[in-house]
Amino acid sequence: MKVAILGTGGIGLATAAWLAHHGHVPVLWSPSGAGTRELAAGESLRYSGKIEGECRPEVASSAAGAVADADVILVAVPGNGHRTVMEAAAPHIRPGQVVIINSLCSLSALYLSRLLAERGVEVPIATWGTTVLTARRRSGTEVAIMTVRTSLHVATLPVSQAAVGLGICRTLFGDRFIEQSDVLATSLININPVAHLGLALGNLTRMERGENWPQYHYMTDSVSRLITTLDHERLAVAGAFALTIHPIEEHFHRSFDVPMTDLAEIARTIHARRGGPPGPTSLDTRFILEDVPYGLVFAEAVGRIAGVDTSVHSAAITLVSAIWGRDFRAENDLLPVLGLDGLSKDELLQRARHGWPAGKA
């Protein structure tokens, strides 16, 4: 299959490598153009780790060129890039294509649904709760693939196209997907925002001083208590919508095959087995800049609709906004265009299952 990959960070390059390695045709598009400069000049993409080799992915100079004759369009940018990339690609998406969002945050699938509805187009939008791969971009021509997850959750918008979305995901990435009820579930299922917030606050000065610190070693008892408290609020928000999502301990159990104990003990086990990865060495980190506005702020907004107490989320958002000197609630550029504040619980669920309503584009 021909797959347009929108984004050329570690996940974008790793996805291109995975697809080429398994007989598909990846087409890379870098929103800035910088991410594909060397590949566009004819250099090969080298990949190592869980799979090894090199490939020559196609390179597109525009979103239109990437999407034009693709069977699948895969969004592979951080949450703060979803809106921009979707606005660039949406005018060129046509019936018969399938979109995959890797991974979903802040109901961005619903925004894409709105953009397509404005053109009278509906396509299956498959959303993942996290990424299939974890990877590090070594350079513009080299990527290390560190993890291939054995299972992850997928939901498709609209739910009537769930079989199509699931089938495409399995064709491209294997039989590792667990179906979720809707895209609200896959928006809330990612544990990164709560884990990263706890790690960042607990190791703030290490980040600020540029120190080398292995994440799981510093997911101490006190840091784990904060993370677990945030996670309980995340689960309560999901439960208010009758969504079944797994707790953070189960995430680590599935990802790293560790016993289902308390979080601090899980962290000690993972550190003993594999050491790192190293934590951020700067305050300019996605642990805060992406995960707070597109994870915690989103959960706070949805919790408000559901009438769920997310006071620790709210306190954490306010605290890190003061520390970083910026208003993270204002930095989520998806919430204003989704208009969630005026919705009831039932209306939000309807949109999360059926897409943008006809006549409201």
Side-chain angles (χ1 to χ4, degrees):
M1 302 187 81
K2 193 165 192 175
V3 182
I5 301 169
L6 312 183
T8 53
I11 296 301
L13 293 184
T15 301
W18 172 276
L19 291 171
H21 193 83
H22 291 87
H24 301 286
V25 181
V27 183
L28 282 165
W29 174 62
S30 165
S32 70
T36 52
R37 190 171 293 124
E38 294 160 288
L39 296 174
E43 294 196 39
S44 296
L45 174 62
R46 298 181 299 278
Y47 50 96
S48 58
K50 292 298 183 180
I51 55 173
E52 297 189 353
E54 63 177 63
C55 62
R56 296 285 295 274
E58 296 183 19
V59 174
S61 59
S62 66
V67 168
D69 58 349
D71 301 297
V72 178
I73 299 110
L74 189 143
V75 176
V77 292
N80 55 10
H82 280 200
R83 180 174 174 179
T84 299
V85 163
M86 288 175 179
E87 288 173 352
H92 313 290
I93 294 173
R94 53 179 170 74
Q97 294 178 313
V98 175
V99 175
I100 297 174
I101 301 178
N102 172 17
S103 56
L104 187 62
C105 68
S106 290
L107 275 177
S108 60
L110 186 56
Y111 182 56
L112 180 57
S113 170
R114 173 183 176 174
L115 294 174
L116 296 175
E118 290 171 355
R119 299 178 47 229
V121 173
E122 181 181 276
V123 301
I125 304 171
T127 68
W128 299 348
T130 187
T131 59
V132 168
L133 312 170
T134 66
R136 289 192 183 276
R137 187 181 189 270
R138 304 292 191 194
S139 70
T141 60
E142 188 174 1
V143 65
I145 300 173
M146 299 178 295
T147 306
V148 182
R149 289 192 169 90
T150 57
S151 67
L152 70 159
H153 292 261
V154 60
T156 301
L157 186 70
V159 293
S160 60
Q161 295 294 310
V164 176
L166 178 63
I168 288 293
C169 291
R170 286 177 171 169
T171 296
L172 295 175
F173 297 97
D175 189 16
R176 65 187 75 247
F177 295 92
I178 302 167
E179 274 196 280
Q180 265 291 345
S181 55
D182 55 56
V183 299
L184 181 56
T186 44
S187 281
L188 290 169
I189 208 164
N190 192 340
I191 59 90
N192 280 348
V194 300
H196 289 168
L197 185 282
L199 282 167
L201 278 184
N203 295 278
L204 178 64
T205 55
R206 290 189 177 92
M207 293 161 51
E208 196 168 19
R209 296 294 189 190
E211 296 175 9
N212 181 21
W213 57 283
Q215 289 181 35
Y216 294 111
H217 182 58
Y218 288 99
M219 193 182 282
T220 60
D221 289 347
S222 57
V223 169
S224 294
R225 276 194 295 274
L226 172 58
I227 293 171
T228 302
T229 301
L230 288 164
D231 197 54
H232 289 165
E233 290 187 349
R234 177 185 70 97
L235 295 171
V237 172
F241 291 92
L243 301 174
T244 302
I245 63 176
H246 58 256
I248 192 167
E249 294 86 356
E250 186 174 342
H251 166 84
F252 285 114
H253 167 68
R254 290 181 178 184
S255 295
F256 300 110
D257 191 27
V258 293
M260 275 278 290
T261 57
D262 68 272
L263 185 58
E265 183 60 34
I266 286 172
R268 284 189 283 270
T269 301
I270 295 174
H271 177 72
R273 287 185 184 178
R274 65 194 292 254
T281 54
S282 162
L283 296 188
D284 183 21
T285 170
R286 67 185 176 88
F287 276 30
I288 297 295
L289 304 186
E290 178 187 359
D291 286 330
V292 171
Y294 293 93
L296 299 185
V297 171
F298 172 74
E300 178 189 51
V302 175
R304 193 160 49 241
I305 293 171
V308 172
D309 177 16
T310 58
S311 55
V312 181
H313 274 68
S314 298
I317 296 162
T318 299
L319 182 59
V320 296
S321 293
I323 294 170
W324 266 256
R326 51 203 291 180
D327 182 359
F328 285 116
R329 287 186 176 86
E331 293 194 15
N332 184 319
D333 62 355
L334 289 165
L335 289 178
V337 294
L338 293 179
L340 301 186
D341 280 344
L343 298 181
S344 67
K345 281 173 55 178
D346 288 343
E347 288 169 334
L348 178 54
L349 276 174
Q350 280 290 108
R351 292 197 184 186
R353 291 172 180 169
H354 305 294
W356 200 262
K360 294 192 177 183

